[in-house]
Amino acid sequence: MKTAAQFSVSYHQFLNAKGALAEPPPGLDLPALVPVYRTMAFTRAFDARAVALQRTGQLRTFPSSLGEEAATVGLASVMRPDDVLLPTYRETGAFLWRGVTPVEIFLYWAGDERGSAIAGPRGDFPISVPIASHCGHATGVAAAFQYRKEARVAVCVLGDGATSKGDFYEAVNLAGVWRLPAVFVVINNRWAISVPAARQTACATFAQKAIAGGVPGVQADGNDAVAVRHVVGQALERARSGEGPTVVELLSYRLTDHTTADDARRYRSADEVSAAWAEEPLVRLRALLAREGLWTKADEEALIADNQARLEAAVADYLATPPQPLTSMVDYLYAELPAELVAQRAELAAREGGHHG
Amino acid sequence: MADLTLIEAVNLALARALEDDPDVVLIGQDIGVNGGVFRATGGLAARFGEERVRDTPLAETVIAASAVGMAVEGMKPVAEIQFAGFMYSCFDQLINHAGRLRTRTRGRLTCPMVLRTPVGGGIHAPEHHSESPEGWLAHIPGIKVVTPSTPAAAYGLLLAAIRDPDPVVFLEPTRLYRMLKEPVADDGAALPLGRAFVRREGADITLVSWGATLVEVGQAAQTLAERGVSAEVVDVATLRPLDSATLLASVSKTGRCLIVHEAPRLFGAGAEIAAQVASEALMSLVAPVGRLAGYDTVMPLARLEDDYLPSAARIVAAAEALMAYR
């Protein structure tokens, strides 16, 4: 017997849960981690506020990203502005880093389409709720970049559960065959609602699912912002230089419910969650920055105050946003209003008059 | 002006679109060197390069999804699904993404893609190769659904579909691919989408149909004429958005309406047309709105296929039953 082929999946961690930085990647830019930390902290504050708004009836169902801030902010922080992000729905940190406003994010989770009519980044895809169905959009976007010879990358973010769907395999396979400038980032937060990773796959890693598509798969500690930036940065560089796609698995943990409509106590133990808190991403990054003289107690206090002030203003703007006209239901269906919708539009306009006239 | 078959007209329109617009790219299974299983893309890879006429892996979902991604990024992808029976896995993309991206981003992102696929029975192909999915597709908000019935219509409507700013599913009647020829000018002129075409003028009854079934409808109209009944034939051509005005004007003139299609009758596209005629042209009707469709069953395999499809004789009989109303 001979071995026909052999594969391996590398694992990357630099900043461990205790805040120790072992063998930093070459050329590590420590000051660049300060804005990363700031956005991670803002993301956590945003999440808490969004949950509070939902609990008081001022927001609809919301999926907190508590515990996943290093993954989401980290991956976005190494993208270029003109790369395209194709998210699922738990990447609030990435949205905030790329310039989506808190008001827009609130609006989306309030059930208002204007939350996806973001002012920037203009080419980013909106939140994609049907699991993994956006993976093939990334291959299409990447194919457009490749065809136009643009040095841009499509970055598709998905969860551990999404890797069970054929859409993911089809997209990774096509990206491999066409050598597309795409990066698939699997944020493995260990739980797809109530189903743990071990019942999602028999694979030892989610990264190895790339190998079947002829694509490299790498794994990193997704709570280590240094590792996230390193592995996603390398994948982006590979894609940008024409070497093709990568699947990156970021190991993290969903420290809270799937959404505000979920109760995670039904399916996992408090002990497990407590243990995961010891691995969370903010404390270790703050410890590193403090040790390097890049972050002080005063900085932290100022950041907390600043985040609260930004959120107060955003919540006020969000709550003051006037409703959309009823006619907006039909006005964006096609570039031109077809005859079949003219009467319905008129009816909506008349109802509008009745409501608000 | 050359006499072309419908498949040649499709090829000519694709070549014209590739020639005119560098953003047009074709993707699909076996469309490159092989030119597609029906040769719709024959010669195009050699002429325009394999980057623009691009073979995909055998994976319909990612073909549709990639077309969405390319379209959002500003290209004009034309994706081929080899047979309509294989496009059902693309419905997720059409319903959840292509049809609603413009709406859900309030116009920030748009999806000017075309999904082409051969449809319908009559060539005695294997299982799943003879489907008529237009009713399901026409129920999707944000999608346009177009089906040509002649080579010239195929050329003009396909160019319109490719140039349209919204997603279009373009259903090519397999049975017509090589059935008839007509002169087609490669003038780059598109036909309008959302417009029904009166294929034959008449005074006594309106026969409404689309795609390949118009062949039998035309034969039936001829037979009816020989028996003293003047039938008007309306080719719907675009099911969504539907040109209700043309349909209603015809029925208002004739007072009778028979809708003929190959897909099953229950909840089919004919039901919507019948409902519109019943509610908007009631006072013109001298007979109930008739529907002659495929049976409400699974599309039979080759041996029973001809008995499933609406025949000219059955169309004549159905029309004559409506003519009995005075």
Side-chain angles (χ1 to χ4, degrees), chain A residues 116 122 124 127 133 137 139 146-148 170 324 332 334-335 340, chain B residues 22 54 62 66 73 93 97 102 104 106 108 143 166 240 242:
Chain A
S116 296
R122 292 288 295 174
D124 278 10
I127 280 170
S133 63
H137 303 163
T139 53
Q146 182 184 60
Y147 175 70
R148 293 174 171 156
E170 288 193 22
Q324 299 185 88
Y332 300 94
Y334 298 98
E340 65 192 15
Chain B
R54 203 160 189 190
V62 81
S66 295
E73 193 46 46
Q93 290 299 321
H97 295 296
R102 181 188 290 277
R104 58 192 296 264
R106 289 301 185 244
R108 178 173 68 91
I143 298 281
D166 289 304
R240 188 85 190 265
L242 186 67

PDB file of all heavy atoms in Angstrom, chain A residues 116 122 124 127 133 137 139 146-148 170 324 332 334-335 340, chain B residues 22 54 62 66 73 93 97 102 104 106 108 143 166 240 242:
ATOM      1  N   SER A 116     -30.354  47.381   6.039  1.00  0.00           N
ATOM      2  CA  SER A 116     -29.468  46.787   5.028  1.00  0.00           C
ATOM      3  C   SER A 116     -29.146  47.768   3.899  1.00  0.00           C
ATOM      4  O   SER A 116     -28.409  47.428   2.984  1.00  0.00           O
ATOM      5  CB  SER A 116     -30.096  45.524   4.434  1.00  0.00           C
ATOM      6  OG  SER A 116     -30.233  44.529   5.427  1.00  0.00           O
ATOM      7  N   ARG A 122     -20.305  50.067   0.725  1.00  0.00           N
ATOM      8  CA  ARG A 122     -21.393  49.937  -0.247  1.00  0.00           C
ATOM      9  C   ARG A 122     -21.513  48.562  -0.874  1.00  0.00           C
ATOM     10  O   ARG A 122     -22.595  48.130  -1.230  1.00  0.00           O
ATOM     11  CB  ARG A 122     -21.212  50.977  -1.363  1.00  0.00           C
ATOM     12  CG  ARG A 122     -21.396  52.389  -0.907  1.00  0.00           C
ATOM     13  CD  ARG A 122     -22.846  52.733  -0.610  1.00  0.00           C
ATOM     14  NE  ARG A 122     -23.713  52.698  -1.794  1.00  0.00           N
ATOM     15  CZ  ARG A 122     -25.031  52.861  -1.748  1.00  0.00           C
ATOM     16  NH1 ARG A 122     -25.632  53.072  -0.583  1.00  0.00           N
ATOM     17  NH2 ARG A 122     -25.747  52.822  -2.852  1.00  0.00           N
ATOM     18  N   ASP A 124     -20.682  45.606   0.449  1.00  0.00           N
ATOM     19  CA  ASP A 124     -20.858  44.470   1.354  1.00  0.00           C
ATOM     20  C   ASP A 124     -22.264  43.901   1.228  1.00  0.00           C
ATOM     21  O   ASP A 124     -23.234  44.632   1.015  1.00  0.00           O
ATOM     22  CB  ASP A 124     -20.611  44.883   2.803  1.00  0.00           C
ATOM     23  CG  ASP A 124     -19.127  44.905   3.147  1.00  0.00           C
ATOM     24  OD1 ASP A 124     -18.290  44.786   2.219  1.00  0.00           O
ATOM     25  OD2 ASP A 124     -18.781  45.060   4.334  1.00  0.00           O
ATOM     26  N   ILE A 127     -26.857  41.005   5.811  1.00  0.00           N
ATOM     27  CA  ILE A 127     -26.984  39.813   6.644  1.00  0.00           C
ATOM     28  C   ILE A 127     -27.704  38.725   5.850  1.00  0.00           C
ATOM     29  O   ILE A 127     -28.662  39.003   5.127  1.00  0.00           O
ATOM     30  CB  ILE A 127     -27.754  40.184   7.930  1.00  0.00           C
ATOM     31  CG1 ILE A 127     -26.782  40.853   8.909  1.00  0.00           C
ATOM     32  CG2 ILE A 127     -28.447  38.969   8.535  1.00  0.00           C
ATOM     33  CD1 ILE A 127     -27.458  41.483  10.111  1.00  0.00           C
ATOM     34  N   SER A 133     -26.412  29.748   2.478  1.00  0.00           N
ATOM     35  CA  SER A 133     -26.835  30.059   1.113  1.00  0.00           C
ATOM     36  C   SER A 133     -26.053  31.223   0.518  1.00  0.00           C
ATOM     37  O   SER A 133     -26.140  31.476  -0.672  1.00  0.00           O
ATOM     38  CB  SER A 133     -28.342  30.352   1.073  1.00  0.00           C
ATOM     39  OG  SER A 133     -28.647  31.487   1.850  1.00  0.00           O
ATOM     40  N   HIS A 137     -22.561  33.121  -3.139  1.00  0.00           N
ATOM     41  CA  HIS A 137     -22.449  34.530  -3.529  1.00  0.00           C
ATOM     42  C   HIS A 137     -20.985  34.953  -3.492  1.00  0.00           C
ATOM     43  O   HIS A 137     -20.525  35.734  -4.324  1.00  0.00           O
ATOM     44  CB  HIS A 137     -23.275  35.426  -2.596  1.00  0.00           C
ATOM     45  CG  HIS A 137     -24.716  35.054  -2.542  1.00  0.00           C
ATOM     46  ND1 HIS A 137     -25.556  35.478  -1.542  1.00  0.00           N
ATOM     47  CD2 HIS A 137     -25.475  34.291  -3.358  1.00  0.00           C
ATOM     48  CE1 HIS A 137     -26.769  34.986  -1.752  1.00  0.00           C
ATOM     49  NE2 HIS A 137     -26.743  34.261  -2.846  1.00  0.00           N
ATOM     50  N   THR A 139     -18.423  33.055  -4.111  1.00  0.00           N
ATOM     51  CA  THR A 139     -17.721  32.591  -5.311  1.00  0.00           C
ATOM     52  C   THR A 139     -18.052  33.480  -6.507  1.00  0.00           C
ATOM     53  O   THR A 139     -17.198  33.741  -7.344  1.00  0.00           O
ATOM     54  CB  THR A 139     -18.052  31.112  -5.625  1.00  0.00           C
ATOM     55  OG1 THR A 139     -19.472  30.942  -5.682  1.00  0.00           O
ATOM     56  CG2 THR A 139     -17.475  30.183  -4.563  1.00  0.00           C
ATOM     57  N   GLN A 146     -11.867  38.278 -10.089  1.00  0.00           N
ATOM     58  CA  GLN A 146     -10.866  37.568 -10.891  1.00  0.00           C
ATOM     59  C   GLN A 146     -10.991  37.955 -12.364  1.00  0.00           C
ATOM     60  O   GLN A 146     -10.001  38.228 -13.033  1.00  0.00           O
ATOM     61  CB  GLN A 146     -11.077  36.059 -10.722  1.00  0.00           C
ATOM     62  CG  GLN A 146     -10.079  35.192 -11.450  1.00  0.00           C
ATOM     63  CD  GLN A 146     -10.441  33.719 -11.294  1.00  0.00           C
ATOM     64  OE1 GLN A 146     -11.522  33.293 -11.692  1.00  0.00           O
ATOM     65  NE2 GLN A 146      -9.555  32.954 -10.692  1.00  0.00           N
ATOM     66  N   TYR A 147     -12.242  37.996 -12.847  1.00  0.00           N
ATOM     67  CA  TYR A 147     -12.480  38.318 -14.252  1.00  0.00           C
ATOM     68  C   TYR A 147     -11.982  39.729 -14.589  1.00  0.00           C
ATOM     69  O   TYR A 147     -11.398  39.967 -15.644  1.00  0.00           O
ATOM     70  CB  TYR A 147     -13.979  38.189 -14.548  1.00  0.00           C
ATOM     71  CG  TYR A 147     -14.388  38.613 -15.935  1.00  0.00           C
ATOM     72  CD1 TYR A 147     -14.041  37.858 -17.046  1.00  0.00           C
ATOM     73  CD2 TYR A 147     -15.139  39.773 -16.130  1.00  0.00           C
ATOM     74  CE1 TYR A 147     -14.412  38.240 -18.323  1.00  0.00           C
ATOM     75  CE2 TYR A 147     -15.520  40.164 -17.403  1.00  0.00           C
ATOM     76  CZ  TYR A 147     -15.150  39.396 -18.493  1.00  0.00           C
ATOM     77  OH  TYR A 147     -15.521  39.793 -19.755  1.00  0.00           O
ATOM     78  N   ARG A 148     -12.198  40.641 -13.643  1.00  0.00           N
ATOM     79  CA  ARG A 148     -11.786  42.027 -13.884  1.00  0.00           C
ATOM     80  C   ARG A 148     -10.347  42.297 -13.474  1.00  0.00           C
ATOM     81  O   ARG A 148      -9.890  43.446 -13.542  1.00  0.00           O
ATOM     82  CB  ARG A 148     -12.703  42.971 -13.104  1.00  0.00           C
ATOM     83  CG  ARG A 148     -14.123  42.988 -13.604  1.00  0.00           C
ATOM     84  CD  ARG A 148     -14.965  43.838 -12.682  1.00  0.00           C
ATOM     85  NE  ARG A 148     -16.283  44.054 -13.223  1.00  0.00           N
ATOM     86  CZ  ARG A 148     -17.346  44.352 -12.479  1.00  0.00           C
ATOM     87  NH1 ARG A 148     -17.207  44.453 -11.165  1.00  0.00           N
ATOM     88  NH2 ARG A 148     -18.516  44.521 -13.032  1.00  0.00           N
ATOM     89  N   GLU A 170     -20.324  23.085  -2.140  1.00  0.00           N
ATOM     90  CA  GLU A 170     -20.352  23.488  -3.551  1.00  0.00           C
ATOM     91  C   GLU A 170     -19.512  24.739  -3.776  1.00  0.00           C
ATOM     92  O   GLU A 170     -18.801  24.856  -4.769  1.00  0.00           O
ATOM     93  CB  GLU A 170     -21.794  23.726  -4.018  1.00  0.00           C
ATOM     94  CG  GLU A 170     -22.602  22.447  -4.165  1.00  0.00           C
ATOM     95  CD  GLU A 170     -23.912  22.648  -4.925  1.00  0.00           C
ATOM     96  OE1 GLU A 170     -24.035  23.630  -5.686  1.00  0.00           O
ATOM     97  OE2 GLU A 170     -24.825  21.815  -4.749  1.00  0.00           O
ATOM     98  N   GLN A 324     -40.987  53.712   7.677  1.00  0.00           N
ATOM     99  CA  GLN A 324     -40.942  53.755   6.216  1.00  0.00           C
ATOM    100  C   GLN A 324     -42.357  53.950   5.691  1.00  0.00           C
ATOM    101  O   GLN A 324     -43.311  53.476   6.298  1.00  0.00           O
ATOM    102  CB  GLN A 324     -40.419  52.426   5.662  1.00  0.00           C
ATOM    103  CG  GLN A 324     -39.021  52.054   6.086  1.00  0.00           C
ATOM    104  CD  GLN A 324     -38.574  50.782   5.385  1.00  0.00           C
ATOM    105  OE1 GLN A 324     -38.028  50.830   4.298  1.00  0.00           O
ATOM    106  NE2 GLN A 324     -38.815  49.642   6.006  1.00  0.00           N
ATOM    107  N   TYR A 332     -39.253  48.817  -4.273  1.00  0.00           N
ATOM    108  CA  TYR A 332     -37.901  48.317  -4.552  1.00  0.00           C
ATOM    109  C   TYR A 332     -37.910  46.909  -5.124  1.00  0.00           C
ATOM    110  O   TYR A 332     -36.876  46.265  -5.191  1.00  0.00           O
ATOM    111  CB  TYR A 332     -37.054  48.361  -3.278  1.00  0.00           C
ATOM    112  CG  TYR A 332     -36.912  49.747  -2.715  1.00  0.00           C
ATOM    113  CD1 TYR A 332     -37.771  50.209  -1.725  1.00  0.00           C
ATOM    114  CD2 TYR A 332     -35.937  50.614  -3.203  1.00  0.00           C
ATOM    115  CE1 TYR A 332     -37.657  51.491  -1.212  1.00  0.00           C
ATOM    116  CE2 TYR A 332     -35.813  51.892  -2.703  1.00  0.00           C
ATOM    117  CZ  TYR A 332     -36.675  52.326  -1.705  1.00  0.00           C
ATOM    118  OH  TYR A 332     -36.550  53.600  -1.224  1.00  0.00           O
ATOM    119  N   TYR A 334     -38.712  45.837  -8.223  1.00  0.00           N
ATOM    120  CA  TYR A 334     -38.066  45.862  -9.542  1.00  0.00           C
ATOM    121  C   TYR A 334     -37.535  47.272  -9.780  1.00  0.00           C
ATOM    122  O   TYR A 334     -37.948  48.225  -9.124  1.00  0.00           O
ATOM    123  CB  TYR A 334     -39.075  45.521 -10.649  1.00  0.00           C
ATOM    124  CG  TYR A 334     -39.675  44.131 -10.547  1.00  0.00           C
ATOM    125  CD1 TYR A 334     -40.933  43.946  -9.969  1.00  0.00           C
ATOM    126  CD2 TYR A 334     -39.009  43.011 -11.041  1.00  0.00           C
ATOM    127  CE1 TYR A 334     -41.495  42.670  -9.880  1.00  0.00           C
ATOM    128  CE2 TYR A 334     -39.564  41.741 -10.955  1.00  0.00           C
ATOM    129  CZ  TYR A 334     -40.804  41.580 -10.372  1.00  0.00           C
ATOM    130  OH  TYR A 334     -41.352  40.329 -10.286  1.00  0.00           O
ATOM    131  N   ALA A 335     -36.644  47.376 -10.753  1.00  0.00           N
ATOM    132  CA  ALA A 335     -36.108  48.696 -11.091  1.00  0.00           C
ATOM    133  C   ALA A 335     -37.246  49.639 -11.495  1.00  0.00           C
ATOM    134  O   ALA A 335     -37.232  50.818 -11.159  1.00  0.00           O
ATOM    135  CB  ALA A 335     -35.091  48.559 -12.227  1.00  0.00           C
ATOM    136  N   GLU A 340     -48.571  45.372 -12.918  1.00  0.00           N
ATOM    137  CA  GLU A 340     -49.318  44.521 -11.978  1.00  0.00           C
ATOM    138  C   GLU A 340     -49.246  45.040 -10.548  1.00  0.00           C
ATOM    139  O   GLU A 340     -50.019  44.592  -9.699  1.00  0.00           O
ATOM    140  CB  GLU A 340     -48.817  43.075 -12.064  1.00  0.00           C
ATOM    141  CG  GLU A 340     -47.373  42.900 -11.621  1.00  0.00           C
ATOM    142  CD  GLU A 340     -46.792  41.516 -11.985  1.00  0.00           C
ATOM    143  OE1 GLU A 340     -47.393  40.814 -12.803  1.00  0.00           O
ATOM    144  OE2 GLU A 340     -45.743  41.185 -11.439  1.00  0.00           O
TER     145      GLU A 340
ATOM    146  N   PRO B  22     -18.786  43.678 -22.129  1.00  0.00           N
ATOM    147  CA  PRO B  22     -17.742  42.856 -21.490  1.00  0.00           C
ATOM    148  C   PRO B  22     -18.161  42.317 -20.128  1.00  0.00           C
ATOM    149  O   PRO B  22     -17.512  41.411 -19.605  1.00  0.00           O
ATOM    150  CB  PRO B  22     -16.558  43.826 -21.351  1.00  0.00           C
ATOM    151  CG  PRO B  22     -17.151  45.187 -21.440  1.00  0.00           C
ATOM    152  CD  PRO B  22     -18.366  45.069 -22.311  1.00  0.00           C
ATOM    153  N   ARG B  54     -17.835  29.810 -19.275  1.00  0.00           N
ATOM    154  CA  ARG B  54     -17.068  29.100 -18.258  1.00  0.00           C
ATOM    155  C   ARG B  54     -17.800  27.862 -17.761  1.00  0.00           C
ATOM    156  O   ARG B  54     -18.893  27.960 -17.213  1.00  0.00           O
ATOM    157  CB  ARG B  54     -16.820  30.082 -17.098  1.00  0.00           C
ATOM    158  CG  ARG B  54     -15.644  29.723 -16.270  1.00  0.00           C
ATOM    159  CD  ARG B  54     -15.154  30.901 -15.478  1.00  0.00           C
ATOM    160  NE  ARG B  54     -13.888  30.539 -14.857  1.00  0.00           N
ATOM    161  CZ  ARG B  54     -13.270  31.253 -13.937  1.00  0.00           C
ATOM    162  NH1 ARG B  54     -13.782  32.411 -13.541  1.00  0.00           N
ATOM    163  NH2 ARG B  54     -12.141  30.842 -13.415  1.00  0.00           N
ATOM    164  N   VAL B  62     -24.630  26.189  -6.616  1.00  0.00           N
ATOM    165  CA  VAL B  62     -23.578  27.207  -6.657  1.00  0.00           C
ATOM    166  C   VAL B  62     -23.525  27.904  -8.017  1.00  0.00           C
ATOM    167  O   VAL B  62     -22.995  29.011  -8.125  1.00  0.00           O
ATOM    168  CB  VAL B  62     -22.206  26.629  -6.252  1.00  0.00           C
ATOM    169  CG1 VAL B  62     -21.530  25.897  -7.401  1.00  0.00           C
ATOM    170  CG2 VAL B  62     -21.306  27.722  -5.689  1.00  0.00           C
ATOM    171  N   SER B  66     -23.609  31.715  -7.575  1.00  0.00           N
ATOM    172  CA  SER B  66     -22.510  32.499  -8.151  1.00  0.00           C
ATOM    173  C   SER B  66     -23.038  33.557  -9.105  1.00  0.00           C
ATOM    174  O   SER B  66     -22.494  34.669  -9.180  1.00  0.00           O
ATOM    175  CB  SER B  66     -21.526  31.580  -8.891  1.00  0.00           C
ATOM    176  OG  SER B  66     -20.903  30.699  -7.990  1.00  0.00           O
ATOM    177  N   GLU B  73     -22.154  42.167  -7.918  1.00  0.00           N
ATOM    178  CA  GLU B  73     -20.869  42.848  -8.108  1.00  0.00           C
ATOM    179  C   GLU B  73     -20.821  43.586  -9.444  1.00  0.00           C
ATOM    180  O   GLU B  73     -19.780  44.109  -9.831  1.00  0.00           O
ATOM    181  CB  GLU B  73     -19.744  41.822  -7.969  1.00  0.00           C
ATOM    182  CG  GLU B  73     -18.345  42.368  -7.835  1.00  0.00           C
ATOM    183  CD  GLU B  73     -18.196  43.518  -6.850  1.00  0.00           C
ATOM    184  OE1 GLU B  73     -18.722  43.447  -5.727  1.00  0.00           O
ATOM    185  OE2 GLU B  73     -17.538  44.508  -7.218  1.00  0.00           O
ATOM    186  N   GLN B  93     -31.974  30.108  -3.975  1.00  0.00           N
ATOM    187  CA  GLN B  93     -31.284  31.314  -4.440  1.00  0.00           C
ATOM    188  C   GLN B  93     -32.257  32.309  -5.068  1.00  0.00           C
ATOM    189  O   GLN B  93     -32.156  33.513  -4.853  1.00  0.00           O
ATOM    190  CB  GLN B  93     -30.188  30.942  -5.452  1.00  0.00           C
ATOM    191  CG  GLN B  93     -29.007  30.228  -4.814  1.00  0.00           C
ATOM    192  CD  GLN B  93     -28.318  31.069  -3.762  1.00  0.00           C
ATOM    193  OE1 GLN B  93     -28.165  32.280  -3.918  1.00  0.00           O
ATOM    194  NE2 GLN B  93     -27.902  30.452  -2.668  1.00  0.00           N
ATOM    195  N   HIS B  97     -32.806  35.096  -2.315  1.00  0.00           N
ATOM    196  CA  HIS B  97     -31.763  36.081  -2.618  1.00  0.00           C
ATOM    197  C   HIS B  97     -32.042  36.898  -3.885  1.00  0.00           C
ATOM    198  O   HIS B  97     -32.256  38.098  -3.794  1.00  0.00           O
ATOM    199  CB  HIS B  97     -30.406  35.386  -2.691  1.00  0.00           C
ATOM    200  CG  HIS B  97     -29.981  34.799  -1.378  1.00  0.00           C
ATOM    201  ND1 HIS B  97     -29.734  35.575  -0.266  1.00  0.00           N
ATOM    202  CD2 HIS B  97     -29.800  33.515  -0.988  1.00  0.00           C
ATOM    203  CE1 HIS B  97     -29.401  34.795   0.757  1.00  0.00           C
ATOM    204  NE2 HIS B  97     -29.440  33.548   0.356  1.00  0.00           N
ATOM    205  N   ARG B 102     -32.838  43.507  -4.002  1.00  0.00           N
ATOM    206  CA  ARG B 102     -33.135  44.919  -4.241  1.00  0.00           C
ATOM    207  C   ARG B 102     -34.063  45.454  -3.143  1.00  0.00           C
ATOM    208  O   ARG B 102     -33.832  46.535  -2.596  1.00  0.00           O
ATOM    209  CB  ARG B 102     -33.767  45.117  -5.619  1.00  0.00           C
ATOM    210  CG  ARG B 102     -34.070  46.562  -5.946  1.00  0.00           C
ATOM    211  CD  ARG B 102     -34.874  46.697  -7.236  1.00  0.00           C
ATOM    212  NE  ARG B 102     -34.125  46.384  -8.445  1.00  0.00           N
ATOM    213  CZ  ARG B 102     -33.332  47.246  -9.076  1.00  0.00           C
ATOM    214  NH1 ARG B 102     -33.172  48.466  -8.629  1.00  0.00           N
ATOM    215  NH2 ARG B 102     -32.699  46.890 -10.173  1.00  0.00           N
ATOM    216  N   ARG B 104     -34.641  44.185  -0.073  1.00  0.00           N
ATOM    217  CA  ARG B 104     -34.178  44.167   1.305  1.00  0.00           C
ATOM    218  C   ARG B 104     -33.015  45.114   1.544  1.00  0.00           C
ATOM    219  O   ARG B 104     -32.676  45.388   2.696  1.00  0.00           O
ATOM    220  CB  ARG B 104     -33.862  42.743   1.761  1.00  0.00           C
ATOM    221  CG  ARG B 104     -32.843  41.987   0.975  1.00  0.00           C
ATOM    222  CD  ARG B 104     -32.878  40.502   1.381  1.00  0.00           C
ATOM    223  NE  ARG B 104     -32.491  40.339   2.766  1.00  0.00           N
ATOM    224  CZ  ARG B 104     -31.243  40.038   3.153  1.00  0.00           C
ATOM    225  NH1 ARG B 104     -30.304  39.842   2.265  1.00  0.00           N
ATOM    226  NH2 ARG B 104     -30.958  39.933   4.429  1.00  0.00           N
ATOM    227  N   ARG B 106     -33.127  48.053  -0.073  1.00  0.00           N
ATOM    228  CA  ARG B 106     -33.728  49.309  -0.524  1.00  0.00           C
ATOM    229  C   ARG B 106     -32.983  49.888  -1.731  1.00  0.00           C
ATOM    230  O   ARG B 106     -32.698  51.083  -1.822  1.00  0.00           O
ATOM    231  CB  ARG B 106     -33.787  50.333   0.625  1.00  0.00           C
ATOM    232  CG  ARG B 106     -34.831  49.950   1.712  1.00  0.00           C
ATOM    233  CD  ARG B 106     -36.195  49.843   1.078  1.00  0.00           C
ATOM    234  NE  ARG B 106     -37.312  49.594   1.979  1.00  0.00           N
ATOM    235  CZ  ARG B 106     -38.059  48.481   1.952  1.00  0.00           C
ATOM    236  NH1 ARG B 106     -37.775  47.490   1.126  1.00  0.00           N
ATOM    237  NH2 ARG B 106     -39.101  48.360   2.742  1.00  0.00           N
ATOM    238  N   ARG B 108     -29.919  49.290  -2.730  1.00  0.00           N
ATOM    239  CA  ARG B 108     -28.446  49.409  -2.673  1.00  0.00           C
ATOM    240  C   ARG B 108     -27.791  48.342  -3.548  1.00  0.00           C
ATOM    241  O   ARG B 108     -26.837  48.617  -4.270  1.00  0.00           O
ATOM    242  CB  ARG B 108     -27.959  49.273  -1.231  1.00  0.00           C
ATOM    243  CG  ARG B 108     -26.438  49.328  -1.079  1.00  0.00           C
ATOM    244  CD  ARG B 108     -26.016  49.360   0.387  1.00  0.00           C
ATOM    245  NE  ARG B 108     -26.292  48.128   1.094  1.00  0.00           N
ATOM    246  CZ  ARG B 108     -25.434  47.094   1.204  1.00  0.00           C
ATOM    247  NH1 ARG B 108     -24.250  47.175   0.638  1.00  0.00           N
ATOM    248  NH2 ARG B 108     -25.755  46.007   1.881  1.00  0.00           N
ATOM    249  N   ILE B 143     -38.753  38.407  -9.333  1.00  0.00           N
ATOM    250  CA  ILE B 143     -38.179  37.651 -10.458  1.00  0.00           C
ATOM    251  C   ILE B 143     -39.020  37.940 -11.697  1.00  0.00           C
ATOM    252  O   ILE B 143     -40.228  38.124 -11.594  1.00  0.00           O
ATOM    253  CB  ILE B 143     -38.243  36.136 -10.154  1.00  0.00           C
ATOM    254  CG1 ILE B 143     -37.421  35.794  -8.927  1.00  0.00           C
ATOM    255  CG2 ILE B 143     -37.848  35.299 -11.350  1.00  0.00           C
ATOM    256  CD1 ILE B 143     -35.958  35.705  -9.179  1.00  0.00           C
ATOM    257  N   ASP B 166     -33.028  43.464 -13.502  1.00  0.00           N
ATOM    258  CA  ASP B 166     -33.510  42.552 -12.464  1.00  0.00           C
ATOM    259  C   ASP B 166     -33.326  41.095 -12.904  1.00  0.00           C
ATOM    260  O   ASP B 166     -33.116  40.826 -14.080  1.00  0.00           O
ATOM    261  CB  ASP B 166     -34.986  42.859 -12.161  1.00  0.00           C
ATOM    262  CG  ASP B 166     -35.139  44.176 -11.415  1.00  0.00           C
ATOM    263  OD1 ASP B 166     -34.515  44.316 -10.357  1.00  0.00           O
ATOM    264  OD2 ASP B 166     -35.846  45.077 -11.921  1.00  0.00           O
ATOM    265  N   ARG B 240     -44.178  36.846 -15.743  1.00  0.00           N
ATOM    266  CA  ARG B 240     -44.036  37.793 -14.642  1.00  0.00           C
ATOM    267  C   ARG B 240     -43.025  38.836 -15.043  1.00  0.00           C
ATOM    268  O   ARG B 240     -41.872  38.459 -15.301  1.00  0.00           O
ATOM    269  CB  ARG B 240     -43.603  37.056 -13.367  1.00  0.00           C
ATOM    270  CG  ARG B 240     -43.597  37.889 -12.101  1.00  0.00           C
ATOM    271  CD  ARG B 240     -44.985  37.907 -11.487  1.00  0.00           C
ATOM    272  NE  ARG B 240     -45.033  38.896 -10.398  1.00  0.00           N
ATOM    273  CZ  ARG B 240     -44.849  38.615  -9.112  1.00  0.00           C
ATOM    274  NH1 ARG B 240     -44.604  37.385  -8.737  1.00  0.00           N
ATOM    275  NH2 ARG B 240     -44.923  39.558  -8.195  1.00  0.00           N
ATOM    276  N   LEU B 242     -46.859  40.084 -15.679  1.00  0.00           N
ATOM    277  CA  LEU B 242     -47.863  39.666 -16.651  1.00  0.00           C
ATOM    278  C   LEU B 242     -48.460  40.880 -17.367  1.00  0.00           C
ATOM    279  O   LEU B 242     -48.770  41.888 -16.724  1.00  0.00           O
ATOM    280  CB  LEU B 242     -48.956  38.895 -15.911  1.00  0.00           C
ATOM    281  CG  LEU B 242     -50.045  38.234 -16.734  1.00  0.00           C
ATOM    282  CD1 LEU B 242     -49.466  37.087 -17.573  1.00  0.00           C
ATOM    283  CD2 LEU B 242     -51.149  37.712 -15.818  1.00  0.00           C
TER     284      LEU B 242
END
